[in-house]
Amino acid sequence: PLQLAVAYGAIANGGQRMRPYIIDRIRKPNGEETITTPRVVKQVISSKAAATVGAMLVRVVQQGHGTRAGVPGYFVAGKTGTAQIPDLETGQYLANQTIGTFAGFAPVEDPKFVMVVQLVKPKDVQFAESSAAPLFGDIAKFLLLHLGVAPSKTVARP
């Protein structure tokens, strides 16, 4: 999931792969702070390619299998992924057991976050569009509101 988040982050950042970090600051008992700052590792795809792929990922959320990851009023970019789980004893796949993943970012025109939601062996659903995508959408909505991100200007409002 971290590698997937880094890859989506590169698309969100105009093709620049960023060094991932989890902690934004460390505050020592004496009050001294060390602040983590974003750092570009390298340009992995062109900014034009990143914009094109970002637009394709928006279409997945607006019209494809990722509609349940959408947030009204925002351009959300992302993609579902459903994987079968191998049975290591038989070499076959486990019946009716999957891993559902939704990876994406929002808003596409000025990304504020990249997120990967992965559910292993979800109950009563087989595909990521019915498991990971709705959870991504719920968290994305919370984040966009919490961060005070204004709705996208060209998206019809509900």
Side-chain angles (χ1 to χ4, degrees):
L2 179 59
Q3 291 175 334
L4 192 55
V6 169
Y8 273 76
I11 297 166
N13 287 308
Q16 295 181 326
R17 181 167 61 93
M18 307 299 287
R19 181 174 185 209
Y21 64 93
I22 296 172
I23 299 170
D24 73 339
R25 71 183 65 216
I26 298 170
R27 185 173 297 135
K28 296 180 182 176
N30 66 3
E32 182 182 325
E33 283 190 345
T34 303
I35 298 174
T36 305
T37 56
R39 194 172 72 178
V40 176
V41 175
K42 71 185 226 179
Q43 187 82 26
V44 292
I45 59 174
S46 71
S47 59
K48 182 178 179 182
T52 300
V53 173
M56 295 163 104
L57 294 171
V58 168
R59 188 174 173 111
V60 169
V61 174
Q62 290 183 337
Q63 300 173 1
H65 290 290
T67 57
R68 295 178 70 187
V71 178
Y74 295 89
F75 284 123
V76 175
K79 181 70 180 86
T80 59
T82 302
Q84 294 176 294
I85 301 173
D87 183 330
L88 301 178
E89 292 179 18
T90 66
Q92 302 296 313
Y93 289 106
L94 297 172
N96 302 316
Q97 295 193 16
T98 60
I99 299 171
T101 304
F102 193 92
F105 55 93
V108 75
E109 65 275 13
D110 185 19
K112 301 300 182 200
F113 63 85
V114 172
M115 178 179 13
V116 176
V117 172
Q118 187 174 77
L119 301 174
V120 178
K121 300 180 183 177
K123 305 273 189 239
D124 302 324
V125 292
Q126 185 176 3
F127 298 106
E129 68 181 296
S130 300
S131 60
L135 180 56
F136 180 100
D138 289 346
I139 297 170
K141 181 178 181 180
F142 171 82
L143 287 173
L144 290 163
L145 294 174
H146 177 73
L147 296 171
V149 178
S152 300
K153 293 182 180 170
T154 56
V155 177
R157 307 235 181 357

